[in-house]
Each structure stands twice: as C-alpha cells, then as structure tokens.
C-alpha cells in the first residue's frame, strides 16, 4: 500500500495515534468501498480510538482487500445488516460519488451519523435532501476532506494562522495536481454524472480549505472553468479545472486541479497550499518537496516580520479531526467541523462545476 | 546596492557578460531615472556590449547616484541634447509609468529606438499612439519585462520548454509578491493615474511571461480584480491584484501580485512561476528558495516522465535578451522580442486593470 505512487486508490496515511475513547466505546462500520479513501477514513478513526465493527460492499474482492488491512472487521451480508446494527454509531463510506448522498440519507434515517469521502455529493438536489435529513434526524453528514484533515502540514498551517503568525488571511492559493493512473481507475471515474466533474471532485478539498483558513462562512464562485486538454479517450474526464472564489469576509481563493502529475514525480501529486496574510505567508508542500532529497510530505514554510521558517510536521502534529469527530458524535457537539461548513464546501464545489466554462478546443463534452 | 532588500528601487542583477558588439559600436543613452529598474536595464545592455553615452534626468540627485554606478556616462543638460545626439541609437528610460509612452514617442520621432521599463504605458490611447509612431518611424518600442528577461531561472524555463521537457504548455501560474517599502517610494508610486494600477504595473511581468511560455499571439482577460486590503493611508494603492487569462491556443494563466512581502523574508519577493505541461511541470523560485539555506535565486525545479530535477541557473544561463535587442536595433530584426508581443502584453495589462473589479471592503477607490 503505497501512498507515494497511487493517489487515493489506497490512500491511508499513518498519523499520530491519540485515542479519545476506550476500545469498544465508539463503534463504526464501513459501507461502500468504491474509493480507496475509505482506508484513510478508517485508519483515522481507529487511531483516534474508534472500533471498526462491520464492513459491507457488494463486491467480494473489495471486501477481501479491506479485511486484509483491517483483520478484525466483521463482514456483513448486506447494507441493511449494518444499518440495523445498534452498536454501529457511524457509517463511514466511500461510494461512487453521485451515490454518496443516497447512502447518507439511508444511514441517517437509520439513526447513524454519516462520514463520507469527498466530494460528499454531486448535485444541489442531493444537498437539499441531505440538509433536510440532517434537520429531520439530528444526525451528522460529515466529510473526509482529506487534503486538509489528513495532512499534518495542513493542520500545522491552521495552527500558525490561529497563533497570528501571518496576520489576517487575505488569500488561499491551492494547486492540486493528481496522477491519473487511468488503467487502475474504475469506469465510474470517467463518467461525469458519477464522479461529479473535477471541480466537484478534487476541487472540493480546495474549497473546503479556503473556507477553513479564511474563517469564511460563505463565499461565491467568481469564475470557474474546466478542460479536457489531453485525454480524448475519456471524453467526460475533466483533466484540468480552476476557479476563483470570494469569501464573505473579503478573502479570495484561487485553485487549480488537474490530472497531469508526470510518472517521474516521486509521489502522486505535488500539492501546494499558499496562504497570503497581511503579516506574512505560509507555503505547505503537502506530499512532497520536489528534488529536495527529502522524502514524505508535510513541509511547512513560512515568513513574517521576524524571519523565515521551516517545519517538518510529519508525525509531530497529528490529525485532530478524527478524535474530534468521534467526540462530536458522542457529545453532539461540532468541534471537528460544523455541519454548515461541510455543506457550504459541498454547495460551492457543486456550484463551481455547474458554472464552469469549458475551454474551447478542449475534448471535454 | 542590494537586490535582496529593495525591489526595483536599485534592481541591477549582474548577469553573464556576453558582448555582441565591440566597444562603441552600439551607443545608447539613459533618460528619466524615476524607477531603479534603469540600473538593470543599463547593466544588461552594457554586459551585452553596448556603450552608455548620455544620462539625463531633471533631478540632479538621481543623476549623481546614476553616475556613481556608471562613472563613464556623460551628463546631458536636457532631454533634447540626448534626442539630438546622432551617436545615441537607443534611449533607455524608466520614467513615471504614465509618462513612459510620451517619452517613447519623442524618442522614436527623433529617430531613436526606445527601451522602457515596464509597464510600458498605462492607457489604450497611449498604446494606439505608440503603435502609430512605430509604424510611422519604423523604430522600436521595447520593454524591460525584467521578471522574465533578467532572471536566469526564467530564461532556463523557456529553454526547457523549447526542449520539450514538459510537453505542451497548458497553464502558467505566477505569483509576484513585492515588498512595499513605502517610505522609500516616490509620491507617484501611490497615485493610480501615474503608476497605472497593480495589474498594469507588476502584473505586466506576469502577462508577458504567460504569452511567452505558451507561445500565444493573443489572449483575453477572463477575470481580474484588485484590492487595497491593508493600506488605507494610500487609498489609490492596489496592494493586491489577481487575474485569469485565456490564450488563443487554449492555454490558461492565473497570476497574483501583491505588496505584502514581510520584512523577515530574505529578499524583496518570493516570486514563483509554475508551468504546467502535458508531460510535466516546471517551478521557478525566481529570487529565493525560502528557508532552504540557499541564497540567491534562479532555482529551477521540474518533473516529467523521466524523473524530477533541480538546476541552479545563476551565472550559467545568461540573459540573451540584451544582446538580441542590440542586434535587433542594428539589423532591424525581431529576435529579442517582437513588437507585436511587447504591445500585446501592454494591451492586456492595461485591459486587466480596466476590467478589474474592486473587492468589497477594500480601501481601494
């Protein structure tokens, strides 16, 4: 299981274990293993003290692979078996993107909190249904925005901002290149209705982190566009997307996402995050420091009035999201992430995709 | 004269001398020393073999400082004296931005080629006049887009593209933070009519490099905006600007420019250039490699199908623009830069500024 070579497909970063509950105190189950992010989601929860109870997926091969990574899990015979299990408090899932909301509705209606891979949904109708069901059931619809929540360098950037290291945040600039590895992708990955488009899919990380680092409650899509520059064999693939946003507090965002990571790069994507503040700036090289001789990610660079700094956050910061999520489920609090924030990011990534212009000459339909 | 601490005010990078003419074969004069870029412009020409003949500026203090850097220069008593000098083939100047075009018209009408600091002009009317005068006189209106032309790392990036190192260029992403050093700036620097606005001023570098690296002949401003986030004492200063462009060949550009370089950074701006291609990408850390322990700039990183690479271009690549410009003046060729390219970048930087929305809550007028 290499996080260096295969984006997402088996993404399961090892964090700093920091259990917030005792074994058996908080149990969850995994349903729908269509995206490898489910491994990172389960790892994160288990490191924070949660107990993995059931797994269910209609594909026995996916279940078998999952059981190798989590040998203590019990294989359920149906989704219904999981949803009817009283000990399961939360359902974690990484379904095909456009099916994530429907599964979430079933989970919440069965009295479970829901924790889905990003993007959490693909249409505004799904968003409306998710909001209604959250209101009706009082359950949570939480999201694994892994490129912030499961990256210690990104966590550390948030801590620097909280400490006032760079003053007021004016802009978040993110680039999220990914390796396509087309031959290892399932068919749904190339069907726009199913994966949601690049701005909805990997753009969701970018929009979530923008809202987070700027402390914005709302934002608008200033402009967005997509292209299929170089993959005519997958006419519904967006291999490039970019957007500008403006937050309610005046902060701005630009991000670019793409599927052009070349094979010679030592990781699946040279993801970067640059935060411009009134008193300084932060750059996070999330997964890699190109041609530096260093391996691994979480490289945090910043400068302010006092000087310039570097910190390797790997193994030093942890990913508090998972423990906070467990405690939020137990205590009905919102410390990991508010429901409003999770839904706002979802709304904006869907809207960015809906509003996107297609670059002329592109193969995109 | 520190290039590390004071952007532009005394910017005069030392290149790799490579004379293309013998001493006295090509003479030029400097008129209007309002921006320190004039030092870099003269250095570049002299290193390429040109002979500096006259200097003229109405301010004796500026002339005195200039003569210290270039002791052999002859101080002219008037602009007219320079324009009437038969041996002066080219007039180099760094006037107040909105006066650059008028000076250029006078120089060209006097039979001289003109080499101005960027931005070369501030209005579309000026551009029309410049184009007319170029046509009428057959003279050149060339521009010192220093952040590409006088940065060996940026030159090397162009060579990599020519060699096919990253395939077809899809996007150019540039960030151009600058240190404000407000107390050392002249009054015109804060008057929008005079400096032209941030997208016209330091944005011009960004747009020129976009056209260059993508090989585009034309482009449109997709969206642009400006702000004065944190300098209400200078209400006409744009301290932030950003824009998205789309080229005629389908390539895209995003750039951000700002005046927020913090005092603790070891140089005037952590300018970055990222070029995304179908087969790889290039990152140039133009002036600095933050917290790396390395001094100086021209750090070129790239990755493609074969691997990831680093090259320190300092002193190894040279800046061929200056020698090509001299030979273009002598031979009436266009190898350094076509007139169409110089004017297209000028048109787009003025247009980006004209179309820019102002971020609400901003102090910008």
């Amino acid at each position: 299981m290499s996080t260096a070579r295969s984006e997402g497909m088996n993404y399961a970063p090892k964090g700093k274990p920091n259990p917030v509950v005792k074994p058996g105190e908080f149990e969850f189950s995994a349903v729908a293993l269509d995206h490898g992010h489910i491994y990172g989601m389960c790892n994160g929860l288990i490191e924070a003290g949660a107990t993995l109870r059931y797994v269910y997926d209609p594909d026995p091969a996916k279940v078998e692979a999952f059981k190798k990574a989590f040998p203590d899990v019990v294989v359920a015979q149906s989704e219904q078996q999981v949803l009817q299990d009283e000990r399961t408090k939360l359902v974690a899932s990484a379904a095909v993107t456009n099916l994530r909301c429907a599964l979430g509705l079933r989970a919440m209606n069965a009295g479970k909190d829901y924790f889905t891979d990003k993007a959490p949904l693909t249409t505004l109708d799904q968003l409306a249904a998710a909001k209604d069901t959250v209101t009706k059931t009082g359950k949570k619809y939480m999201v694994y925005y892994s490129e912030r929540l499961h990256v210690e360098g990104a966590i550390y950037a948030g801590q620097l901002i909280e400490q006032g290291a760079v003053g007021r945040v004016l802009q978040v600039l993110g680039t999220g290149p990914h390796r396509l590895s087309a031959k290892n992708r399932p068919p749904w990955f190339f069907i726009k209705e199913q994966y949601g488009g690049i701005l909805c899919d990997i753009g969701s990380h970018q929009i979530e982190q923008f809202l987070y680092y700027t402390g914005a409650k709302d934002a608008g899509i200033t402009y967005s566009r997509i292209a299929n520059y170089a993959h005519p064999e997958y006419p519904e693939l967006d291999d490039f997307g970019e957007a500008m946003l403006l937050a309610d507090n005046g902060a701005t965002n630009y991000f670019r996402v793409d599927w052009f990571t070349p094979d010679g790069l030592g990781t699946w994507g040279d993801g970067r995050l640059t935060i411009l503040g009134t008193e300084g700036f932060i750059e996070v090289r999330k997964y890699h420091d190109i041609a530096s001789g260093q391996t691994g990610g979480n490289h945090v660079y910043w400068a302010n009035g006092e000087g310039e700094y570097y910190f390797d956050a790997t193994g030093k910061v942890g990913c508090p999201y998972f423990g906070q999520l467990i405690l939020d489920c137990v205590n009905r609090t919102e410390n990991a992430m508010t429901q409003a924030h999770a839904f706002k990011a979802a709304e904006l990534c869907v809207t960015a995709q809906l509003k996107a212009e297609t670059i002329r000459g592109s193969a995109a339909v």
Side-chain angles (χ1 to χ4, degrees), chain A:
Chain A
M1 192 180 303
S2 160
T3 59
R5 302 299 305 180
S6 55
E7 175 279 322
M9 283 181 287
N10 295 291
Y11 186 72
K14 295 288 183 189
K16 197 173 74 168
N18 189 17
V20 298
V21 288
K22 297 198 186 92
E25 263 187 17
F26 183 82
E27 297 183 273
F28 76 104
S29 296
V31 174
L33 313 177
D34 294 285
H35 195 293
H37 276 162
I38 192 69
Y39 290 90
M41 296 163 70
C42 292
N43 269 0
L45 288 169
I46 290 167
E47 286 175 355
T51 301
L52 175 58
R53 187 158 160 74
Y54 283 121
V55 61
Y56 174 72
D57 190 280
D59 179 356
K62 289 198 185 73
V63 172
E64 189 181 352
F66 188 82
K67 207 166 156 49
K68 277 190 187 146
F70 302 102
D72 297 336
V73 75
V74 177
V75 176
Q77 296 312 304
S78 68
E79 179 186 303
Q80 204 54 24
Q81 185 184 352
V82 178
L83 297 187
Q84 289 176 349
D85 172 47
E86 290 214 349
R87 284 166 58 185
T88 292
K89 300 302 178 196
L90 176 137
V91 172
S93 84
V96 173
T97 315
N98 71 326
L99 303 179
R100 288 172 187 170
C101 180
L103 174 54
L105 302 185
R106 294 195 298 276
M108 291 189 292
N109 281 321
K112 315 302 183 195
D113 289 317
Y114 183 54
F115 179 40
T116 178
D117 186 23
K118 58 42 62 186
L121 42 81
T122 57
T123 71
L124 295 177
D125 284 347
Q126 291 171 17
L127 177 63
K131 286 182 172 178
D132 283 351
T133 305
V134 163
T135 302
K136 191 183 72 182
T137 62
K139 295 299 164 188
K140 295 178 181 291
Y141 191 113
M142 289 288 109
V143 187
Y144 182 61
Y145 293 111
S146 55
E147 295 188 13
R148 181 178 67 83
L149 301 172
H150 221 166
V151 175
E152 288 181 285
I155 302 293
Y156 192 68
Q159 295 175 356
L160 286 173
I161 291 168
E162 276 178 33
Q163 293 159 17
V166 296
R168 172 187 165 204
V169 173
L170 302 175
Q171 193 206 33
V172 174
L173 195 165
T175 47
H178 288 61
R179 180 171 288 131
L180 185 56
S181 304
K183 66 181 189 306
N184 299 323
R185 300 285 182 181
W188 64 266
F189 193 84
F190 301 101
I191 300 169
K192 192 166 284 190
E193 185 185 352
Q194 296 191 297
Y195 81 92
I198 194 169
L199 298 173
C200 177
D201 175 18
I202 53 179
S204 64
H205 297 292
Q206 300 287 333
I207 289 174
E208 191 280 331
Q209 74 180 8
F210 165 55
L211 295 175
Y212 177 76
Y213 292 121
T214 59
K217 301 290 181 225
D218 200 359
I221 306 296
T222 305
Y223 184 78
S224 59
R225 66 183 160 202
I226 55 174
N228 180 327
Y229 275 123
H231 298 88
E233 68 276 30
Y234 301 112
E236 295 197 23
L237 174 72
D238 305 330
D239 60 20
F240 176 95
E242 59 177 347
M244 285 172 76
L245 284 79
L246 179 63
D248 53 4
N249 59 10
T252 71
N253 176 235
Y254 170 80
F255 71 85
R256 186 198 82 208
V257 283
D258 68 78
W259 291 102
F260 285 104
T261 292
D263 285 344
L265 192 79
T267 190
W268 56 265
D270 186 1
R272 304 281 186 100
L273 161 66
T274 302
I275 297 166
L276 177 70
T278 50
E279 313 301 327
F281 66 92
I282 301 168
E283 178 191 5
V284 184
R285 300 176 193 160
K286 288 187 174 181
Y287 315 111
H288 193 56
D289 205 347
I290 180 171
S292 67
Q294 297 195 75
T295 57
N298 301 302
H299 305 280
V300 185
Y301 295 85
W302 72 102
N304 56 26
E306 281 67 55
E308 47 187 80
Y309 308 94
Y310 168 72
F311 183 67
D312 178 352
T314 303
K316 296 176 191 149
V317 176
C319 294
Y321 177 77
F322 299 95
Q324 290 171 339
L325 176 59
I326 291 168
L327 294 176
D328 281 350
C329 291
V330 171
N331 303 323
R332 313 317 293 169
T333 50
E334 289 203 310
N335 295 313
M337 181 180 289
T338 67
Q339 188 63 67
H341 176 89
F343 279 154
K344 181 54 70 179
E347 173 197 325
L348 291 171
C349 74
V350 170
T351 306
Q353 188 74 38
L354 284 172
K355 291 180 69 171
E357 292 189 23
T358 301
I359 292 172
R360 61 178 184 276
S362 164
V365 287

